[in-house]
């Protein structure tokens, strides 16, 4: 150890100072100064993703908040356009990444407002640099069309930028439809310079919620399965004393084993276990057999095809899942 601080420790003060200076420049509408400041950060070793997430986007957010209501719409468009041009200049200054042998497909929803559009553009650029083939979806894309496009292009990733808790709930129908695919993509909600809505996003079906481009790429690495592996997921609910597991994707012997692990890790914390298989997109005979054997064991789950009301759960008897 030579006492040299890690690169991140060196960049953090630089980025914090740049954020203040860029904010002041945007408030003054000195767009050239804000661009030059960002480029100086790049010259000092900061990446375009870090500069966008830690400098440009939060500075823009704070500058917009100071605008007078009568000027907000017009000036927000101008400021967002300038920050977008700065981000493009930062990426143009990078060495072009080596082409990937196989580019995996991602779908990115782009919001209607100027800040939402800017976030979508930044996310698409970051994914493209990371070797993804990006399909952008317009704000008018219906949830069912999102699912159709994801299936057509064999998308392995869906990134849905959200700028508020309301946006997370608006996207819930798309999350649920993506989850019901035989090979559901990794679904990540992304609120750049926004609030952490992890619990809310997971509650409507997302795998994760992130608030920066660096966290987005790290989350993809954590959640993306290996090549040729089918996606699997499970939603967990705790109504009363019950534990309710809702698997998604494919129901095979491996996914039943994972369900057993999920239940075992919570042993002693619930009075009754239910497995709802209504959202499973594909049921394999081996999975049905494994689930039936588990249900026949002492303390095994009740298996149902659809969510049950509290009274129905109270009167529950074993019913095997439909093939």
């Amino acid at each position: 150890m030579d006492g040299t601080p890690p690169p991140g420790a060196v960049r953090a003060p630089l980025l914090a100072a740049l954020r203040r200076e860029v904010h002041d420049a945007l408030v003054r509408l000195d767009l050239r100064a804000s661009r030059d400041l960002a480029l100086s950060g790049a010259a000092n070793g900061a990446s375009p993703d870090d500069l966008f997430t830690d400098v440009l986007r939060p500075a823009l957010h704070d500058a917009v908040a100071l605008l007078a209501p009568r000027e907000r719409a017009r000036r927000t468009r101008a400021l967002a356009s300038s920050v977008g041009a700065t981000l493009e200049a930062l990426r143009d200054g990078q060495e072009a990444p080596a082409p990937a042998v196989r580019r995996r497909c991602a779908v990115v929803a782009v919001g209607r407002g100027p800040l939402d559009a800017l976030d979508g553009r930044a996310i698409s650029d970051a994914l493209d640099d990371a070797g993804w083939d990006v399909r952008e979806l317009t704000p008018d894309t219906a949830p069912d069309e999102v699912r159709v496009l994801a299936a057509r292009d064999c998308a392995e990733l869906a990134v849905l930028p959200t700028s508020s808790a309301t946006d997370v709930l608006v996207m819930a129908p798309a999350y649920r439809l993506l989850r019901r695919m035989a090979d559901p993509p990794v679904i990540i909600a992304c609120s750049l310079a926004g609030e952490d809505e992890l619990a809310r996003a997971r509650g409507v079906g997302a795998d994760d919620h992130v608030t920066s481009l660096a966290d987005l790429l790290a989350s993809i690495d954590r959640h993306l399965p290996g090549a040729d592996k089918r996606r699997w997921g499970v939603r967990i609910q705790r109504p009363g004393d019950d534990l309710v597991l809702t698997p998604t994707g494919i129901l095979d012997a491996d996914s039943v084993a994972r369900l057993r692990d999920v239940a075992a890790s919570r042993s002693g914390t619930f009075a009754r276990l239910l497995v709802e298989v209504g959202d499973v997109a594909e049921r394999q005979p081996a999975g049905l057999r494994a689930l039936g054997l588990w249900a026949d064991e002492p303390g095994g789950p009740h298996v149902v095809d659809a969510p049950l009301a509290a009274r129905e759960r109270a009167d529950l008897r074993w019913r095997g899942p439909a093939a």
Side-chain angles (χ1 to χ4, degrees), residues 43-65:
N44 281 285
S47 71
D49 288 350
D50 285 344
L51 285 167
F52 182 80
T53 300
D54 297 329
V55 177
L56 294 170
R57 187 60 173 84
L60 175 62
H61 177 274
D62 294 343
V64 166

Side-chain angles (χ1 to χ4, degrees), residues 124-187:
S124 295
D125 286 348
L127 291 176
D128 182 72
D129 287 348
W132 288 86
D133 188 5
V134 179
R135 307 280 196 273
E136 291 189 355
L137 306 178
T138 68
D140 297 323
T141 308
D144 187 60
E145 190 176 353
V146 173
R147 179 189 61 80
V148 170
L149 292 173
R152 182 197 68 190
D153 295 334
C154 299
E156 298 178 63
L157 173 67
V159 182
L160 306 174
T162 56
S163 57
S164 68
T166 301
D167 289 341
V168 174
L169 297 179
V170 167
M171 294 304 300
Y175 292 154
R176 284 194 287 267
L177 289 174
L178 289 171
R179 274 286 181 221
R180 294 180 184 183
M181 294 170 58
D183 288 294
V186 173
I187 305 170

Side-chain angles (χ1 to χ4, degrees), residues 70-94:
R70 67 179 183 278
E71 301 176 332
R72 184 163 296 162
R74 176 176 58 84
R75 290 200 172 181
T76 295
R77 286 193 294 271
L79 292 175
S81 176
S82 174
V83 169
T86 298
L87 179 60
E88 185 174 347
L90 290 169
R91 295 197 182 281
D92 286 345
Q94 280 190 313

Side-chain angles (χ1 to χ4, degrees), residues 93-105:
Q94 280 190 313
E95 183 178 349
V101 175
R102 172 177 173 269
R103 290 173 67 89
R104 308 172 100 168
C105 180

